[in-house]
């Protein structure tokens, strides 16, 4: 099978890498793994994987440093952040640095394979927790300073989709609930991701600034 | 005897103050009108400045009441009292013209008292949480670098007032009314200053070293406190859990429950601002979810957006959500439950979802009391709605919503 996805693991915990490799082995090609930022940058450049599973917290710079080292030269490589951390500033910071999704390390193997496929297709992957953070960040506060309505606000539909994601609905279930196609759900989520990355909303900037990510 | 409401402690008032809040603080303590106390202070001025003296002493001794930052004083409100005081003093001096000496002496004593008060005045910043260790003394006000300049300023101005008062007293009551020449006085003051400066020059390095030592000792103590807190956390919880996991290694469900509980408590400790479940909707809901996790040994993936203070309705929603989670844990046969809650300005919604066995909603008549009374009935009583969506094999979702009054968002964001 030549259309198997090439996946690269970046995590400083060897046990975790071994576990993920074993879980994913049947579905995708794990083409390499790295434990440090420098190692990751050189090996990703050498193997050119489709998707990189990226740990948020690592010594010398964390996932953010890997993203910055790779994204300019290899824009086709997609990143899926994988972390035990649920802190809003970690999650939002990684997404704003260019990751296309965020899942927690407790995710089930099937869901992880699903998320990798989705990211490889250019879609976004939001865990319920991330959907909650985004709803919080884009909450319609009367005092919110909206500079660019196109980027700084969510449409009602996008909000509905995020709410269902936060309630634990899968894309298929969301499509059924809202009487739209799965493709449309994916488009909405991708739009939210774009806003998340481009918007200058105060809350987002603040979250990122808390970790000196901007 | 009917129980009396507790009297407020004798403090200086923060929000109702004309000069330093002494009068309204006393008024609150004895239960009288602040204006009455103020008038009393002004009247006491006539007796050789006794009012000012008393005020200075109270100001120096009484702690500032706890509370939010002080609003600015309104100088216009002070005006009538000042005018009244000046009028009284003039009238008094007309009556007392036979003995101007004692009049002046009284005022000089008041001056000394105010000077001493300024020096000994209880520093508000000296009692910040970081410094509230038992060793806090007046020295720590000196040691904390933040308000050292303030302290110096206060010390100098207070000392100037005291010195002026003492010299004035000496001039008035000098033995046998020996007239002291101004010239001599200035010389004496000059000599005293030179002597003080000399002593200061000699003692400065020593004083400086003491201050540095004090500061570094305080920083060390704070670090030590943080370390002790972390050690206690690790020791009391994490090591304990690890020991339990080793002892129960054969029982997968127990191990999972222990790990999950420990993860949750570490996570809360690391990421979440502490909020009391009795006061905040989000905290109350998280607590309910935690109880379900512990009791039934499964995971509740909770996502809470927004927050609001707890009131009757909020408490009812939390209780209904808890019941929904209990039902899911008992009957759905799943390992995870999704809990989503959103506090919007005018509405509170909670969704409890599982992907378990589900049931036919039509047969709800036969169902347990839990659903009818604890969820649907409870929500209806509080003007809300409960909707249950389920089908055999497709899991269950309980949707709760209740309109709530709009609360102004204050500091809840930070």
């Amino acid at each position: 099978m030549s259309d198997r996805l090439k996946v690269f693991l970046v995590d400083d915990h060897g046990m975790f890498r071994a576990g993920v490799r074993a879980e994913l082995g049947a579905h995708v090609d794990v083409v390499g793994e790295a434990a440090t930022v420098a190692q990751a940058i050189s090996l990703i450049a050498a193997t050119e994987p489709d998707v990189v599973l990226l740990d948020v917290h690592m010594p010398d710079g964390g996932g953010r440093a890997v993203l910055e080292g790779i994204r300019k030269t290899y824009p086709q490589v997609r990143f899926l952040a994988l972390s035990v951390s649920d802190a809003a500033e970690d999650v939002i910071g990684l997404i704003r640095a260019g990751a296309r999704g965020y899942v927690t390390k407790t995710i089930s193997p099937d869901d992880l394979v699903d998320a990798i496929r989705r990211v490889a297709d250019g879609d976004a992957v939001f865990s319920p927790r991330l959907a909650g953070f985004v709803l919080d960040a884009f909450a319609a506060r009367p005092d919110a300073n909206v500079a660019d309505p196109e980027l700084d606000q969510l449409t009602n539909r996008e909000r509905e989709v995020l709410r269902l994601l936060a309630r634990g609905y899968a894309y298929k279930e969301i499509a059924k609930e809202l009487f739209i196609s799965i493709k449309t759900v994916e488009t909405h989520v991708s739009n939210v991701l774009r806003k998340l990355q481009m918007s200058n909303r105060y809350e987002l900037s603040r979250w990122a600034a808390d970790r000196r990510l901007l | 005897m009917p129980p009396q409401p507790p009297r407020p402690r004798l403090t200086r008032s923060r929000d109702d103050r004309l000069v330093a809040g002494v009068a309204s603080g006393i008024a609150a303590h004895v239960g009288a009108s602040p204006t009455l106390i103020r008038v009393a202070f002004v009247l006491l001025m006539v007796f050789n400045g006794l009012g000012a003296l008393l005020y200075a002493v109270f100001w120096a001794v009484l702690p500032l009441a706890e509370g939010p930052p002080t609003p600015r004083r309104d100088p216009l409100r002070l005006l009538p009292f000042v005018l009244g005081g000046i009028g009284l003093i003039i009238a008094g001096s007309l009556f007392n013209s036979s003995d101007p000496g004692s009049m002046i002496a009284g005022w000089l004593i008041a001056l000394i008292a105010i000077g001493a008060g300024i020096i000994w005045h209880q520093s508000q910043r000296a009692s910040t949480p970081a410094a509230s260790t038992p060793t806090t003394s007046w020295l720590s006000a000196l040691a904390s670098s933040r308000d050292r300049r303030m302290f110096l300023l206060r010390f100098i101005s207070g000392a100037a007032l005291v010195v002026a008062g003492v010299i004035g007293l000496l001039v008035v009551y000098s033995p046998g009314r020996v007239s002291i020449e101004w010239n001599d006085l200035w010389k004496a003051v000059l000599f005293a200053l030179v002597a003080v400066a000399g002593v200061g020059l000699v003692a400065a390095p020593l004083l400086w070293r003491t201050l540095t030592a004090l500061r570094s000792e305080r920083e060390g103590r704070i670090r030590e406190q943080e370390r002790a807190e972390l050690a206690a956390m690790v020791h009391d919880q994490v090591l304990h859990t690890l020991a339990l996991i080793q002892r129960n290694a054969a029982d997968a469900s127990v191990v999972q429950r222990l790990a999950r509980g420990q993860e949750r408590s570490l996570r809360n400790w690391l990421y979440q601002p502490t909020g009391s479940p009795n006061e905040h909707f989000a905290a109350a809901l998280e607590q309910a979810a935690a109880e379900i996790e512990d009791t039934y040994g499964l995971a509740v993936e909770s996502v809470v957006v927004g927050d609001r203070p707890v009131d009757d309705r909020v408490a009812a929603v939390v209780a209904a959500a808890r019941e929904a989670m209990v039902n899911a844990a008992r009957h759905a046969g799943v390992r995870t439950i999704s809990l989503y809650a959103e506090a919007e300005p005018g509405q509170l919604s909670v969704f409890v979802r599982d992907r378990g066995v589900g049931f036919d909603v039509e047969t709800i008549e036969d169902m347990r009391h839990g659903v009818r009374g604890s969820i649907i009935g409870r929500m209806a009583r509080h003007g809300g709605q409960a909707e249950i969506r389920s089908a055999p094999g497709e899991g269950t979702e309980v949707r709760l919503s209740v309109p709530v009054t709009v609360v102004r968002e204050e500091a809840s964001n930070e």
Side-chain angles (χ1 to χ4, degrees):
Chain A
M1 280 211 300
S2 62
D3 60 342
R4 271 162 67 108
L5 288 172
K6 292 200 286 179
V7 175
F8 193 93
L9 306 178
V10 182
D11 197 307
D12 56 333
H13 294 99
M15 262 173 69
F16 183 77
R17 289 201 308 272
V20 173
R21 191 185 262 272
E23 282 172 4
L24 295 182
H27 309 279
V28 299
D29 276 339
V30 180
V31 293
E33 49 186 75
T36 65
V37 173
Q39 208 184 356
I41 291 176
S42 65
L43 283 177
I44 291 172
T47 53
E48 290 196 39
D50 299 307
V51 176
V52 175
L53 291 185
L54 191 60
D55 188 18
V56 177
H57 292 284
M58 280 197 305
D60 31 275
R64 165 87 176 176
V66 179
L67 262 168
E68 276 172 351
I70 293 292
R71 273 190 56 84
K72 288 235 168 62
T73 34
Y74 299 92
Q76 78 282 8
V77 177
R78 321 249 193 211
F79 287 85
L80 176 60
L82 194 62
S83 166
V84 289
S85 164
D86 274 344
E89 64 262 26
D90 292 348
V91 182
I92 302 286
L94 249 271
I95 299 284
R96 280 173 78 81
R100 292 204 64 82
Y102 172 87
V103 292
T104 46
K105 283 184 172 175
T106 47
I107 190 173
S108 75
D110 290 344
D111 288 345
L112 182 57
V113 172
D114 201 41
I116 290 172
R117 293 228 168 91
R118 191 150 279 157
V119 169
D121 285 345
D123 290 323
V125 172
F126 281 21
S127 68
R129 176 93 10 146
L130 174 55
F133 286 153
V134 179
L135 280 169
D136 223 359
F138 282 94
R141 298 206 177 89
D143 55 340
N145 187 8
V146 178
D148 182 353
E150 154 65 11
L151 282 178
D152 293 347
Q153 283 174 344
L154 299 179
T155 66
N156 283 339
R157 241 315 129 80
E158 285 162 357
R159 224 173 267 280
E160 274 178 287
V161 170
L162 279 180
R163 281 201 181 110
L164 289 167
L165 274 174
R167 278 155 68 179
Y169 279 60
Y171 282 28
K172 200 171 63 184
E173 294 164 325
I174 296 174
K176 196 174 143 204
E177 178 80 19
L178 298 179
F179 304 107
I180 53 181
S181 72
I182 294 182
K183 199 70 221 160
T184 314
V185 176
E186 286 169 348
T187 311
H188 284 309
V189 179
S190 291
N191 285 340
V192 173
L193 182 85
R194 189 173 56 86
K195 291 180 182 181
L196 201 54
Q197 288 174 339
M198 314 290 287
S199 166
N200 283 319
R201 253 186 98 108
Y202 168 69
E203 289 85 357
L204 296 168
S205 312
R206 188 199 57 187
W207 271 341
D210 279 349
R211 286 271 164 149
R212 295 194 188 79
L213 288 169
L214 282 179
Chain B
M1 206 171 101
Q4 290 201 330
R7 268 206 271 184
R9 279 190 51 214
L10 191 52
T11 53
R12 287 191 291 121
S13 166
R14 252 177 196 281
D15 22 70
D16 181 25
R17 54 176 204 163
L18 296 189
V19 181
V22 168
S24 65
I26 295 174
H29 183 69
V30 300
S33 149
T35 312
L36 204 67
I37 307 285
R38 282 176 192 137
V39 168
F41 269 118
V42 170
L43 281 178
L44 282 175
M45 294 283 237
V46 183
F47 302 99
N48 297 335
L50 185 62
L53 200 144
L54 278 178
Y55 197 95
V57 170
F58 272 121
W59 172 62
V61 171
L62 293 188
L64 196 58
E66 286 172 14
T70 328
R72 289 197 66 80
R73 307 164 236 238
D74 182 3
L76 276 182
R77 287 178 61 205
L78 188 57
L79 201 61
F81 292 98
V82 172
L83 290 179
I86 291 175
L88 275 171
I89 289 162
I90 291 170
S93 66
L94 285 178
F95 277 109
N96 277 12
S97 53
S98 56
D99 180 18
S102 80
M103 179 76 189
I104 295 169
W107 278 101
L108 289 171
I109 290 172
L111 198 66
I112 295 174
I114 292 174
I118 286 175
I119 295 175
W120 284 100
H121 171 54
Q122 300 199 0
S123 168
Q124 189 188 336
R125 281 186 214 92
S127 58
T128 47
S132 64
T133 42
T135 54
T136 305
S137 63
W138 67 274
L139 247 183
S140 74
L142 200 65
S144 115
S145 59
R146 249 189 319 166
D147 46 25
R148 195 178 319 138
R149 196 181 304 152
M150 198 61 220
F151 180 83
L152 212 63
L153 196 72
R154 188 186 293 161
F155 188 84
I156 289 173
S157 55
L161 283 180
V162 171
V163 168
V166 169
I167 291 174
L169 269 185
L170 277 178
V171 171
V172 173
Y173 281 113
S174 48
R177 295 273 169 159
V178 183
S179 66
I180 297 176
E181 292 293 321
W182 277 108
N183 218 358
D184 296 343
L185 202 63
W186 282 123
K187 267 184 211 157
V189 169
L190 199 69
F191 275 122
L193 278 180
V194 168
V196 167
V199 170
L201 208 62
V202 171
L206 192 71
L207 203 65
W208 179 250
R209 214 175 309 144
T210 316
L211 286 182
T212 323
L214 264 174
R215 196 185 318 150
S216 68
E217 192 225 76
R218 224 182 72 179
E219 276 166 12
R221 210 167 46 220
I222 290 169
R223 260 200 307 278
E224 181 58 29
Q225 252 171 18
E226 277 169 4
R227 206 198 63 81
E229 199 179 317
L230 184 67
M233 166 81 187
V234 170
H235 181 266
D236 295 349
Q237 294 199 13
V238 181
L239 292 183
H240 193 74
T241 307
L242 288 176
L244 281 174
I245 285 177
Q246 287 172 45
R247 284 176 57 180
N248 294 290
D251 190 339
S253 71
V254 172
V255 170
Q256 194 163 29
R257 186 185 309 181
L258 286 168
R260 178 84 191 166
Q262 183 61 64
E263 182 199 339
R264 191 179 54 237
S265 94
L266 278 178
R267 216 175 262 291
N268 281 340
W269 195 66
L270 281 173
Y271 300 125
Q272 287 188 345
T274 45
S276 161
N278 298 324
E279 290 163 14
H280 294 284
F281 167 64
L285 204 60
E286 301 272 6
Q287 192 194 40
E291 283 169 18
I292 304 295
E293 284 193 344
D294 280 346
T295 314
Y296 297 96
L298 41 68
V300 178
E301 304 284 354
S302 63
V303 177
V304 183
V305 173
D307 203 352
R308 62 173 286 123
V310 168
D311 57 24
D312 277 358
R313 284 188 173 184
V314 174
V317 172
V318 172
R322 191 178 189 288
E323 194 61 33
M325 286 189 276
V326 168
N327 282 336
R330 276 200 192 142
H331 307 289
V334 288
R335 298 224 58 90
T336 50
I337 301 172
S338 295
L339 169 69
Y340 173 69
E342 187 171 0
E344 289 167 281
Q347 170 156 315
L348 204 59
S349 332
V350 179
F351 302 86
V352 178
R353 180 181 157 88
D354 67 70
R355 294 164 182 282
V357 293
F359 61 92
D360 189 353
V361 185
E362 299 302 314
T363 62
I364 201 163
E365 317 304 333
D366 315 326
M367 289 205 36
R368 310 152 299 276
H369 164 78
V371 173
R372 288 183 70 80
S374 305
I375 300 180
I376 299 175
R378 196 195 301 260
M379 293 307 294
R381 273 199 302 282
H382 288 87
Q385 284 182 339
E387 189 190 342
I388 298 171
R389 297 229 290 181
S390 184
E394 289 190 11
T396 308
E397 184 173 59
V398 179
R399 306 170 175 191
L400 312 170
S401 67
V402 68
V404 285
T405 51
V406 179
V407 280
R408 255 187 53 74
E409 265 189 65
E410 326 101 45
S412 63
N413 278 332
E414 281 307 309

